[in-house]
Amino acid sequence: MKVYTEYLKFHTRKHRDYIHITPQVEGIVKKSGVKEGMVLVSAMHITAGIYVNDNESGLIEDIDKWLEGLAPFKRDYKHHETGEDNGDSHLKALLIHHEVIVPITAGRLDFGMWQRIFYAEFDGQREKRVIVKVMGE
Amino acid sequence: MKVYTEYLKFHTRKHRDYIHITPQVEGIVKKSGVKEGMVLVSAMHITAGIYVNDNESGLIEDIDKWLEGLAPFKRDYKHHETGEDNGDSHLKALLIHHEVIVPITAGRLDFGMWQRIFYAEFDGQREKRVIVKVMGE
Amino acid sequence: MKVYTEYLKFHTRKHRDYIHITPQVEGIVKKSGVKEGMVLVSAMHITAGIYVNDNESGLIEDIDKWLEGLAPFKRDYKHHETGEDNGDSHLKALLIHHEVIVPITAGRLDFGMWQRIFYAEFDGQREKRVIVKVMGE
């Protein structure tokens, strides 16, 4: 059994951003030598998420607007009594979820035709990390 | 260590549908011979999801109505500029999530009494697939 | 390859509650002897969830209020025709998701600085269980 780990780093220019990371994850799976197994891709922050969906710019705008509608920026979150102003970033991260686990078959991500992995930043403009851990044989 | 993979196929008659797949997943786990480990059940599409909850028809109606409320069908999604009309299907899939990972103990799904696995179709009436990958020993 | 399983038990005093369980999960990972791998933490009920976010009491209040807004208690869920009155608890559990999978590196949860694991109870005041299954080597 093999376990192989790498970390991706992000520092977005925008407060919210959606970054396509399938090529990086594929590269890590290749380096791992795992032919059959799974890869965990997990944000190491509480204001960022990982999701799988389409790499289409219009849809990404829709997702961003939808998240803002369901988990809006507001002044009056209780969390802000700590001095923070990112209550909405936490809720957006909970909605989109912070990790995915992707199957590996014959050394490749076993995805459908349109599935792509995204890093979703909800409180950017600073250093963030994602762990990619491959497990299998 | 064993890794065993099968694919389930769906072609729903309805645009949206919720299909109970616990028996199929249990059958695949049995075939795999894995006694201790995990099984990943993951939709291979960006307009479908997998979730675990109750197999009760009233609740399934509630879930469908709730998803339509939070991620409604609308004409004016940006994604529709590509010619698609299924922006809401993507958002519903993100909300329900596209995969679950279920523990296997003593050769069986280690579930609580009411937990059941569902395939959630949000853009049906065509060929769709779900990967079921068992890992363990 | 090692697989190690324990179960956590909960019986909350409140109908809804959010319980920090990182120390318990860390203890189980240590007992497992797994140095490299993953740990699955999964609610065994359809009205409870597991999530990863900040251990900050204001934020927890925000999360609770936000979930009640998006998946409110209501009389008229179809599910209530079975005699139940917890339709909202199911929807809250679907929104927050019922499981997380956490990477293990060098024998420890490989988390970012603020990540903590929570058990989210949406229909409490009775016996509930969470499975913690460690896999790796």
Side-chain angles (χ1 to χ4, degrees):
Chain A
M1 181 190 167
K2 289 173 183 166
V3 185
Y4 179 77
T5 308
E6 282 200 24
Y7 303 86
L8 302 175
K9 283 182 183 172
F10 301 91
H11 191 127
T12 62
R13 277 198 240 178
K14 291 195 280 179
H15 179 59
R16 295 209 301 271
D17 213 348
Y18 303 86
I19 300 169
H20 178 216
I21 60 171
T22 317
Q24 290 94 314
V25 176
E26 277 176 337
I28 293 167
V29 168
K30 200 171 175 187
K31 270 204 264 179
S32 77
V34 168
K35 300 300 178 197
E36 287 290 328
M38 298 176 193
V39 54
L40 173 66
V41 185
S42 186
M44 302 182 78
H45 300 267
I46 52 189
T47 55
I50 302 288
Y51 72 87
V52 167
N53 215 284
D54 198 358
N55 186 13
E56 196 279 298
S57 61
L59 180 69
I60 292 169
E61 280 186 60
D62 293 329
I63 291 170
D64 185 65
K65 194 175 169 184
W66 175 67
L67 289 170
E68 180 59 27
L70 293 185
F73 177 81
K74 286 194 308 185
R75 293 258 164 244
D76 68 340
Y77 288 115
K78 282 273 178 187
H79 183 49
H80 296 177
E81 293 175 12
T82 64
E84 296 281 355
D85 65 353
N86 62 0
D88 69 302
S89 313
H90 291 268
L91 302 181
K92 287 176 173 91
L94 286 170
L95 191 53
I96 214 72
H97 221 59
H98 78 286
E99 31 102 320
V100 296
I101 190 149
V102 182
I104 299 165
T105 305
R108 305 200 55 179
L109 300 179
D110 201 346
F111 263 161
M113 187 178 295
W114 303 104
Q115 289 184 297
R116 300 292 181 275
I117 310 170
F118 282 83
Y119 172 70
E121 175 64 80
F122 300 120
D123 190 17
Q125 297 163 319
R126 51 197 176 115
E127 288 291 315
K128 298 275 193 114
R129 287 193 306 155
V130 166
I131 183 169
V132 181
K133 192 174 276 273
V134 190
M135 227 170 111
E137 59 182 11
Chain B
M1 181 188 167
K2 289 174 184 167
V3 185
Y4 179 78
T5 308
E6 282 199 24
Y7 303 87
L8 303 175
K9 285 183 181 170
F10 301 91
H11 191 127
T12 62
R13 278 199 238 179
K14 291 195 280 180
H15 179 60
R16 295 209 302 270
D17 213 348
Y18 304 86
I19 300 171
H20 179 215
I21 60 171
T22 317
Q24 289 94 315
V25 176
E26 278 176 336
I28 293 167
V29 167
K30 199 170 176 186
K31 271 204 264 179
S32 77
V34 168
K35 300 299 178 198
E36 287 290 327
M38 299 175 191
V39 54
L40 173 65
V41 184
S42 186
M44 301 183 77
H45 300 266
I46 53 190
T47 54
I50 302 288
Y51 72 86
V52 167
N53 215 285
D54 198 358
N55 187 13
E56 195 279 298
S57 62
L59 181 69
I60 291 170
E61 280 187 61
D62 293 329
I63 291 170
D64 185 65
K65 193 174 170 186
W66 175 69
L67 289 170
E68 180 58 26
L70 293 184
F73 177 82
K74 286 196 308 186
R75 293 257 166 246
D76 68 340
Y77 288 114
K78 282 273 176 185
H79 184 49
H80 296 177
E81 294 175 11
T82 63
E84 296 280 355
D85 64 354
N86 62 359
D88 69 302
S89 312
H90 291 267
L91 302 181
K92 287 176 174 90
L94 285 171
L95 191 53
I96 213 71
H97 220 59
H98 77 287
E99 31 101 320
V100 297
I101 190 149
V102 181
I104 300 165
T105 304
R108 305 202 55 179
L109 300 179
D110 200 345
F111 264 161
M113 187 179 294
W114 302 104
Q115 289 184 297
R116 300 291 181 275
I117 309 170
F118 282 83
Y119 172 70
E121 175 63 81
F122 300 119
D123 191 16
Q125 297 162 319
R126 51 197 176 116
E127 287 291 315
K128 298 275 192 116
R129 286 192 307 155
V130 165
I131 182 168
V132 181
K133 192 173 275 275
V134 190
M135 226 170 111
E137 59 183 10
Chain C
M1 181 188 166
K2 289 173 185 168
V3 186
Y4 179 77
T5 307
E6 283 200 23
Y7 303 86
L8 301 175
K9 284 183 181 171
F10 301 91
H11 191 127
T12 62
R13 278 198 240 178
K14 291 195 280 181
H15 179 58
R16 295 209 301 273
D17 214 347
Y18 304 86
I19 299 170
H20 179 215
I21 60 171
T22 317
Q24 289 93 316
V25 176
E26 277 176 337
I28 294 167
V29 168
K30 199 171 176 186
K31 270 204 264 179
S32 76
V34 169
K35 300 299 179 198
E36 288 290 327
M38 298 175 192
V39 54
L40 173 65
V41 185
S42 187
M44 301 182 77
H45 300 266
I46 53 189
T47 54
I50 302 288
Y51 72 88
V52 167
N53 215 286
D54 198 358
N55 187 13
E56 196 278 299
S57 62
L59 181 68
I60 292 169
E61 280 186 62
D62 293 329
I63 291 170
D64 185 65
K65 194 174 167 185
W66 175 68
L67 289 170
E68 180 59 27
L70 293 184
F73 177 82
K74 287 194 310 185
R75 293 257 165 246
D76 68 340
Y77 288 115
K78 282 273 176 186
H79 183 50
H80 296 177
E81 294 175 13
T82 63
E84 295 281 355
D85 65 353
N86 62 359
D88 70 302
S89 312
H90 291 267
L91 302 181
K92 287 177 174 89
L94 286 170
L95 191 53
I96 213 72
H97 220 59
H98 77 286
E99 31 103 317
V100 296
I101 189 149
V102 182
I104 300 165
T105 305
R108 306 201 53 179
L109 301 180
D110 200 345
F111 264 161
M113 187 179 296
W114 302 104
Q115 290 184 297
R116 300 292 181 276
I117 309 169
F118 282 83
Y119 172 71
E121 175 63 81
F122 300 119
D123 190 15
Q125 296 161 319
R126 51 200 177 114
E127 287 290 314
K128 298 277 192 112
R129 286 192 308 154
V130 165
I131 182 169
V132 181
K133 191 174 277 272
V134 190
M135 226 170 111
E137 59 183 10

